[in-house]
Amino acid sequence: MSKPTIDDVANLAGVSIKTVSRVVNNEPNVRDSTRSQVESAISQLNYRPNISARNLASHRSNLVVLIYDDPSTSTSPNESIAVRLQHGALQACRQANRELLIHPCNYRDKSVRPALRSLIARTRPDGVVIAAPLSNMATITKPFADAGIPFVRLSPGRKSTAEFSVGTNDRAISAEMTRYLASLGHRDIAFVSGNEQERAVANRKIGYQEGLSVCGISYRDSLVISGDSSFESGVAAAERLLARKKPPTAIFAANDCMAAGVMQTAQKKGLRLPSQLSIAGFDDSTLAKYLNPSLTTIQQPLAKMAESAVSALLSNRDEHDRPKGMTVIPSVLVLRESTGPVL
Amino acid sequence: MSKPTIDDVANLAGVSIKTVSRVVNNEPNVRDSTRSQVESAISQLNYRPNISARNLASHRSNLVVLIYDDPSTSTSPNESIAVRLQHGALQACRQANRELLIHPCNYRDKSVRPALRSLIARTRPDGVVIAAPLSNMATITKPFADAGIPFVRLSPGRKSTAEFSVGTNDRAISAEMTRYLASLGHRDIAFVSGNEQERAVANRKIGYQEGLSVCGISYRDSLVISGDSSFESGVAAAERLLARKKPPTAIFAANDCMAAGVMQTAQKKGLRLPSQLSIAGFDDSTLAKYLNPSLTTIQQPLAKMAESAVSALLSNRDEHDRPKGMTVIPSVLVLRESTGPVL
DNA sequence: CGACCAATTGACAGCGTTGTCAGTCAGCCG
DNA sequence: CGGCTGACTGACAACGCTGTCAATTGGTCG
């Protein structure tokens, strides 16, 4: 009554185990009639190949690792990002018959490096997807490069022709958000930046500047506050901005968490939203829908990005015919109640 | 330059591979001097056992599966729950040298069952942790029971002496929240229930009733609205409750998402919170901190629960000396701005 | 001193696949 | 009709480790 093995199938089908192996792995050069005999034996016995045996013999692990900034230790605890990445990665893994290992990590922690090395040693993954902002950190990518494990950067923030990556249009979409705000009549549009070490954040800021420029609004340093992506830094930024003689009529924050901080502060000061102040965020976290007023923001196609990263990773075993360059999947504006015309 | 194998270590250390295996697996009956020779050979070669080979030979997979309601398809998209479960499970896995596979699933989908069977066939996990509300569904648990794979239910909602599980005090903590509201002077305390098929939700409602009764407040059916855990159902519930001749002065929702709906509705009707209406939620999702006013809620120790479930699962290979009964890890009240005294 | 026991070690047979390579077989060409 | 080719199939050796069981060692006890 123990699990049937490839031998059982071979016996039942009256062929060799190698032929069964061929059928199971969809290899060519098996006569159709043979194939269907084997298939029927397989389903009769409800045979499933033993993964460990297969991995051992084929020198692969069938494992894909997804690495992302641990939301439990991040200043902007955006679990929704992690979950969306997971969703897409899982989807692609399912299709490719791989299993997904998640590896949230806190890059501020000294032990990231050894943890990654141990992960590699233990699991020998077939491929790795590294999400922003970690995708831009050598500490994170080096262990994989050293071990010769193929990896794809998710949203690396700048193109590279040497390697494949999947990104989104941070800059362009931020420009678009800025133009949208301008189109509502806003001229004093502030920007709350996050950690500008993170490329995505830097790009968002550049997009903001571009957007202003396109609309003929001159950029003013005083309207840009740098935060650290946290709610509290959103609060602090709003406090400074709203204390100005002539406060901005719109505030665009580089993430939803800071936008929430801005919103709370504005409301505590008695401002009515959006009539007295428009607020926009970035990420479309779950939060955004539930704030009051609900938050206008930007949605990154994280699931799709992760999915396409994983499938690209797995599609080509050959080093050199893996695609190069960056695949860009555009983000979209999500207009909600927190933005409105200048009154 | 290829990976060193156990044979290389054995040669270098001048012992048999079996002895190396003993050292690697921390087995007893190895002379200290031998052990350290082997250890030095291991570190010299930077040897890591090949997981697949080990799994194949030992008939184990070293894999633990975590199953939970997929937040991307749930009516209450609470990613924070998933992430916290993952965090705890990962912690325990790391300690036990296992890898974690996540399996978010949408129980409303017909294909859950086959998906689980396929998961089992593919991965043969050493153990499985099933989080509420899935932990109470036979559709989910049966495949594992059938396959003889040990599993632990997380927050099963009722004790069972036959099997081990990890839960929390839904009922008692809900009673406590109710008492807390009463202590602020509230007498008309409404309850917005979720899907009462879910045991946790049912328990929360019972706790609410108990709390009322302890405070000498009589239970009124009309103050209980059943929702479906979604934001929208929170909105609907608030609409009905606030339309009463004598609306409640406090509303306790069975999750944060519905509480957010209640809050938004109350604010749109121009109520000041908490002076005119106190609102409490359940879950302490990330959302709760960022709402304005921030939400008083209940925090379940999900990470700890998952961690203890995984370690219990792995600690005892012997069927019969695995612990029985339910380990209860208490939830705690998180008091924020959305609740206050009756004015 | 020899028997005896527990601690320690090793030889070897799997574990269930895949990769390699050597057939076998049918059809086609000259 | 013999040889050749390409499609198909199978035998068998890995893959790197653990489990089993026998052998060896070192010490203790009578």
Side-chain angles (χ1 to χ4, degrees):
Chain A
M1 192 44 240
S2 82
K3 298 284 171 195
T5 74
I6 200 171
D7 295 279
D8 301 324
V9 177
N11 284 338
L12 180 58
V15 299
S16 76
I17 61 170
K18 183 61 213 186
T19 298
V20 176
S21 170
R22 288 196 179 92
V23 172
V24 168
N25 294 290
N26 260 310
E27 286 174 27
N29 296 342
V30 176
R31 195 178 299 148
D32 281 350
S33 60
T34 313
R35 190 180 292 276
S36 52
Q37 269 173 55
V38 173
E39 274 164 354
S40 107
I42 287 179
S43 64
Q44 223 177 109
L45 295 175
N46 189 29
Y47 163 76
R48 303 290 162 179
N50 176 313
I51 289 223
S52 299
R54 188 205 292 250
N55 294 347
L56 176 58
S58 65
H59 306 280
R60 309 213 254 94
S61 67
N62 278 304
L63 256 27
V64 172
V65 173
L66 173 66
I67 298 187
Y68 51 89
D69 189 24
D70 187 349
S72 349
T73 60
S74 171
T75 54
S76 63
N78 192 340
E79 292 95 355
S80 143
I81 292 181
V83 167
R84 278 147 73 191
L85 291 171
Q86 290 169 5
H87 191 83
L90 279 170
Q91 197 101 346
C93 282
R94 205 167 299 141
Q95 243 186 325
N97 248 303
R98 299 299 210 290
E99 303 300 328
L100 182 72
L101 254 30
I102 56 175
H103 191 88
C105 70
N106 176 1
Y107 64 87
R108 287 158 291 272
D109 189 330
K110 305 300 170 220
S111 67
V112 210
R113 195 70 163 267
L116 289 175
R117 295 211 183 279
S118 148
L119 175 73
I120 293 174
R122 287 192 328 261
T123 66
R124 315 257 172 104
D126 290 352
V128 179
V129 172
I130 307 176
L134 308 179
S135 50
N136 296 307
M137 303 180 183
T139 327
I140 309 288
T141 56
K142 186 148 189 311
F144 299 101
D146 287 353
I149 295 175
F151 64 91
V152 170
R153 302 179 201 253
L154 213 55
S155 225
R158 72 168 177 203
K159 313 200 181 194
S160 148
T161 47
E163 51 178 40
F164 178 70
S165 68
V166 178
T168 185
N169 56 344
D170 279 291
R171 214 183 74 210
I173 197 73
S174 299
E176 193 175 327
M177 176 67 89
T178 309
R179 291 203 316 269
Y180 159 72
L181 291 170
S183 77
L184 293 172
H186 297 283
R187 294 281 122 181
D188 300 303
I189 305 174
F191 184 73
V192 183
S193 175
N195 178 354
E196 290 181 29
Q197 304 288 72
E198 299 183 12
R199 289 238 175 73
V201 172
N203 283 340
R204 291 171 197 180
K205 181 170 162 191
I206 295 172
Y208 156 76
Q209 295 172 320
E210 278 182 7
L212 289 181
S213 136
V214 165
C215 299
I217 303 176
S218 59
Y219 170 80
R220 276 170 292 163
D221 248 343
S222 59
L223 284 181
V224 174
I225 310 269
S226 23
D228 65 356
S229 299
S230 71
F231 179 84
E232 291 71 24
S233 74
V235 169
E239 244 137 34
R240 278 178 56 195
L241 287 169
L242 298 177
R244 291 167 62 88
K245 297 132 298 221
K246 194 187 176 204
T249 61
I251 300 179
F252 176 17
N255 76 13
D256 286 353
C257 205
M258 293 191 295
V262 170
M263 184 177 290
Q264 186 173 99
T265 308
Q267 289 176 327
K268 291 210 161 135
K269 291 195 183 304
L271 292 180
R272 321 200 54 140
L273 310 182
S275 50
Q276 298 181 287
L277 178 69
S278 284
I279 300 177
F282 200 118
D283 279 345
D284 195 23
S285 56
T286 311
L287 178 64
K289 282 191 281 295
Y290 300 147
L291 290 173
N292 186 20
S294 58
L295 186 68
T296 289
T297 185
I298 288 167
Q299 183 178 58
Q300 296 184 75
L302 293 173
K304 263 189 217 149
M305 289 165 66
E307 185 175 351
S308 97
V310 171
S311 29
L313 202 51
L314 299 178
S315 62
N316 295 293
R317 306 240 101 249
D318 288 338
E319 185 69 30
H320 37 262
D321 69 43
R322 189 168 301 140
K324 301 289 182 203
M326 169 150 49
T327 296
V328 173
I329 308 185
S331 297
V332 298
L333 243 51
V334 180
L335 305 183
R336 296 212 180 85
E337 305 165 341
S338 67
T339 48
V342 173
L343 288 194
Chain B
M1 189 49 233
S2 85
K3 298 284 171 195
T5 73
I6 199 171
D7 296 279
D8 301 324
V9 177
N11 285 337
L12 180 57
V15 299
S16 74
I17 61 170
K18 182 62 212 185
T19 298
V20 176
S21 169
R22 287 195 179 94
V23 171
V24 168
N25 294 291
N26 258 311
E27 285 173 29
N29 296 339
V30 176
R31 194 178 298 149
D32 281 349
S33 60
T34 312
R35 190 180 294 276
S36 50
Q37 269 173 55
V38 172
E39 274 163 354
S40 107
I42 288 179
S43 63
Q44 223 176 111
L45 295 174
N46 190 26
Y47 164 77
R48 302 291 161 178
N50 175 314
I51 288 222
S52 299
R54 188 207 291 250
N55 294 347
L56 176 58
S58 65
H59 306 280
R60 311 212 254 91
S61 65
N62 278 305
L63 255 28
V64 173
V65 173
L66 173 66
I67 298 186
Y68 52 89
D69 190 23
D70 187 348
S72 351
T73 61
S74 169
T75 53
S76 63
N78 192 339
E79 292 94 356
S80 144
I81 292 182
V83 167
R84 278 144 75 189
L85 291 170
Q86 290 170 5
H87 190 83
L90 279 170
Q91 196 100 347
C93 282
R94 203 165 303 140
Q95 244 187 326
N97 248 301
R98 300 298 210 289
E99 303 301 328
L100 182 71
L101 255 28
I102 56 174
H103 191 89
C105 70
N106 176 1
Y107 64 87
R108 287 158 291 272
D109 189 329
K110 305 300 169 220
S111 67
V112 208
R113 194 70 162 266
L116 290 174
R117 294 209 184 283
S118 150
L119 176 73
I120 293 174
R122 288 195 324 265
T123 66
R124 315 257 172 104
D126 290 353
V128 179
V129 173
I130 308 176
L134 308 179
S135 49
N136 296 306
M137 303 181 183
T139 327
I140 309 288
T141 55
K142 188 153 187 309
F144 298 102
D146 287 353
I149 295 176
F151 64 91
V152 170
R153 300 178 202 256
L154 213 55
S155 224
R158 71 169 177 202
K159 312 198 182 199
S160 148
T161 48
E163 50 179 41
F164 178 70
S165 68
V166 178
T168 186
N169 56 343
D170 278 292
R171 214 182 74 210
I173 197 73
S174 299
E176 193 176 327
M177 177 66 88
T178 309
R179 291 203 315 272
Y180 160 72
L181 292 171
S183 77
L184 293 173
H186 297 284
R187 294 283 122 180
D188 300 303
I189 304 174
F191 184 75
V192 183
S193 175
N195 178 355
E196 291 182 28
Q197 305 287 72
E198 298 182 14
R199 288 237 176 74
V201 173
N203 283 340
R204 291 170 197 182
K205 181 169 161 189
I206 295 173
Y208 158 75
Q209 294 172 321
E210 278 181 8
L212 288 182
S213 136
V214 164
C215 300
I217 303 176
S218 58
Y219 170 80
R220 277 169 295 163
D221 249 342
S222 59
L223 285 181
V224 174
I225 309 267
S226 22
D228 65 357
S229 299
S230 71
F231 179 84
E232 291 72 24
S233 75
V235 169
E239 243 136 34
R240 278 177 58 195
L241 288 168
L242 299 177
R244 290 168 61 91
K245 297 133 299 223
K246 196 190 178 204
T249 61
I251 300 180
F252 176 16
N255 75 13
D256 286 353
C257 204
M258 294 192 293
V262 170
M263 184 177 290
Q264 185 171 100
T265 308
Q267 289 176 326
K268 292 211 160 134
K269 289 192 185 305
L271 292 180
R272 320 200 55 138
L273 310 182
S275 51
Q276 297 180 289
L277 177 68
S278 283
I279 300 177
F282 200 117
D283 278 344
D284 195 23
S285 56
T286 310
L287 179 62
K289 280 191 282 296
Y290 300 146
L291 289 173
N292 186 20
S294 58
L295 186 67
T296 288
T297 186
I298 288 166
Q299 183 177 59
Q300 298 184 73
L302 291 173
K304 263 188 217 152
M305 288 166 68
E307 185 175 353
S308 98
V310 170
S311 29
L313 201 52
L314 299 177
S315 62
N316 294 293
R317 306 239 101 250
D318 288 339
E319 184 68 31
H320 37 263
D321 70 39
R322 190 167 299 139
K324 303 287 184 204
M326 168 149 46
T327 295
V328 173
I329 308 184
S331 296
V332 297
L333 244 49
V334 180
L335 304 184
R336 295 209 181 86
E337 306 165 339
S338 67
T339 49
V342 173
L343 289 195

